[in-house]
Amino acid sequence: MKVDQETLQKIAHLARLEVRAEEEADLLTSLNNVLTWMEQLNEVDTTGVEPLIHISEEQNVLRPDVVGEHLSREQALANAPQHDQQFFQVPKVLE
């Protein structure tokens, strides 16, 4: 598959990219090189190769989610500069 100038302009429009006229030739060459490389990958025999779910075999080690000590509402609000006995009060950010 080859990318022509019209296709490049459609892709640029969909991606909301501004492609200057002097950049088009280099961009077309790069896109066509990538597509050629992908076609070469399609020729590789992958029979019997399991698809990868993750690149790495490492597993994330997570701690168990257990309830521990927590602050009461009064303790949490004790050092708050402003509160209404129930919630923290902060300055308005958006109008």
Side-chain angles (χ1 to χ4, degrees):
M1 176 181 179
K2 288 282 188 186
V3 176
D4 58 4
Q5 190 172 6
E6 182 182 337
T7 307
L8 175 64
Q9 290 171 354
K10 285 181 184 177
I11 292 170
H13 174 72
L14 290 172
R16 304 296 190 253
L17 297 174
E18 274 188 45
V19 179
R20 295 190 306 259
E22 59 269 12
E23 296 174 324
E24 284 185 3
D26 288 338
L27 198 52
L28 278 171
T29 303
S30 295
L31 284 172
N32 285 318
N33 286 341
V34 168
L35 290 175
T36 302
W37 183 68
M38 293 301 293
E39 288 172 3
Q40 289 175 356
L41 285 178
N42 284 333
E43 295 172 5
V44 175
D45 181 22
T46 58
T47 307
V49 177
E50 295 274 334
L52 290 177
I53 297 174
H54 297 285
I55 298 296
S56 173
E57 297 274 336
E58 294 180 26
Q59 297 291 323
N60 193 3
V61 180
L62 301 173
R63 64 175 172 76
D65 191 15
V66 295
V67 177
E69 293 183 35
H70 62 279
L71 296 174
S72 68
R73 184 181 306 236
E74 293 77 24
Q75 289 172 320
L77 294 172
N79 292 324
Q82 290 183 318
H83 61 85
D84 65 357
Q85 301 301 326
Q86 199 171 18
F87 301 105
F88 293 103
Q89 292 180 327
V90 295
K92 192 174 192 177
V93 179
L94 301 173
E95 295 298 324

